Amino acid sequence: MATLVPSSSIFRPTLVRCTNERRALFNRIAPVYDNLNDLLSLGQHRIWKRMAVSWTGAKLGDRVLDVCCGSGDLSFLLSDKVGCDGKVIGLDFSKDQLSIASSRQQLLSKKCFTNIEWLEGDALDLPFMDGWFDAITMGYGLRNVVDKHKAMQEIFRVLKADSTVSILDFNKSNESLTSAITEWMIDNVVVPVASGYGLSEEYIYLKSSIREFLTGKELEKLALEVGFSDARHYEIGGGIMGCLVAKR
């Protein structure tokens, strides 16, 4: 079962607000998403994701949320952190990604992974009570939502006081050299590799999405504007990636 919708009153059904084209794109890349991540980052994405989870401060027994969870990498790392007595919700708008995440959960069959539930939902209208989660992650999702301010407001709303969100994504650098390297890699590595999977068109969007994204300073400003008490953006992966860490 790809999506598990808990019956508890803390969850409420919502309509997912996104372009049909964007949802279709993520459904199309779902079957090869993990393989492509490994190839394109030479496995480095696993290190970046561990860093992002560590920055949340999630601990045993916590209730945590992974927004735009995709195939579940961050959710599984969070599960290890919170243990069998904790709870992880992996939320995404792509049914195909959630189906793969659920399949991985069954294949990995690690005891603590039974604490993960997969939920189809909207990052702009999170179906949870205020102040419900001890920690939140978002991996490669904020860049793709249609309203970044609203997404950050929703994360702030469902996060407990003094708790932390960690948002991992490509870094929109102010350094022209770093930006040039990123664009060169997309044109000469990412798109050609993706074309081998018949997905060149699906990955061409990446360059424009990074250009339209926020810089680290702009992300910090956005977090503070919606109410976070502290926000710091860390450049990682040689400046190609970035992680916004914000405390409520």
Side-chain angles (χ1 to χ4, degrees):
M1 185 175 181
T3 308
L4 306 177
V5 184
S7 59
S8 170
S9 61
I10 65 163
F11 298 97
R12 53 183 171 76
T14 62
L15 294 174
V16 179
R17 291 177 291 173
C18 65
T19 64
N20 290 332
E21 293 82 3
R22 190 163 296 185
R23 191 207 300 259
L25 183 152
F26 283 95
N27 281 335
R28 286 196 301 274
I29 67 176
V32 297
Y33 185 70
D34 291 324
N35 287 340
L36 275 174
N37 280 344
D38 279 327
L39 281 171
L40 296 173
S41 72
L42 300 177
Q44 293 297 298
H45 73 100
R46 300 181 186 278
I47 297 173
W48 305 329
K49 288 170 180 173
R50 288 187 181 279
M51 293 171 70
V53 168
S54 293
W55 270 317
T56 67
K59 59 189 183 302
L60 290 175
D62 277 355
R63 183 167 52 229
V64 299
L65 173 66
D66 182 18
V67 183
C68 301
C69 66
S71 59
D73 276 357
L74 289 171
S75 299
F76 293 123
L77 292 171
L78 284 168
S79 178
D80 280 328
K81 289 286 187 182
V82 303
C84 295
D85 293 329
K87 186 67 180 177
V88 181
I89 302 295
L91 179 141
D92 203 278
F93 71 166
S94 168
K95 287 184 178 179
D96 288 2
Q97 290 278 19
L98 290 169
S99 179
I100 290 171
S102 181
S103 297
R104 293 180 67 197
Q105 182 182 23
Q106 295 171 31
L107 288 171
L108 292 168
S109 64
K110 192 172 181 179
K111 185 178 180 181
C112 68
F113 289 169
T114 58
N115 68 6
I116 307 174
E117 292 191 54
W118 309 106
L119 180 67
E120 183 183 4
D122 187 357
L124 303 183
D125 188 15
L126 296 174
F128 310 108
M129 293 171 57
D130 295 358
W132 190 246
F133 294 101
D134 297 291
I136 298 177
T137 57
M138 189 180 200
Y140 303 100
L142 188 61
R143 176 172 41 86
N144 292 305
V145 298
V146 295
D147 187 339
K148 295 168 182 57
H149 189 272
K150 177 61 175 173
M152 289 298 293
Q153 284 182 321
E154 280 293 279
I155 288 171
F156 179 83
R157 180 181 65 80
V158 302
L159 190 62
K160 289 181 180 179
D162 297 320
S163 295
T164 300
V165 61
S166 181
I167 300 175
L168 175 67
D169 215 311
F170 281 89
N171 177 42
K172 181 180 178 180
S173 178
N174 289 317
E175 299 293 330
S176 57
L177 178 59
T178 302
S179 297
I181 291 172
T182 300
E183 294 198 356
W184 183 91
M185 288 180 64
I186 292 170
D187 290 337
N188 296 279
V189 180
V190 174
V191 173
V193 170
S195 68
Y197 290 83
L199 295 170
S200 59
E201 292 298 319
E202 284 77 0
Y203 275 82
I204 285 174
Y205 91 98
L206 188 58
K207 187 159 66 173
S208 62
S209 75
I210 296 172
R211 282 178 177 171
E212 295 166 8
F213 196 35
L214 304 177
T215 64
K217 290 297 182 185
E218 289 169 337
L219 286 169
E220 291 175 348
K221 181 181 178 183
L222 173 60
L224 295 174
E225 284 176 351
V226 303
F228 285 93
S229 62
D230 184 64
R232 298 187 182 186
H233 184 267
Y234 300 96
E235 293 189 356
I236 57 179
I240 304 298
M241 300 295 156
C243 193
L244 174 67
V245 181
K247 185 175 181 180
R248 197 186 192 287

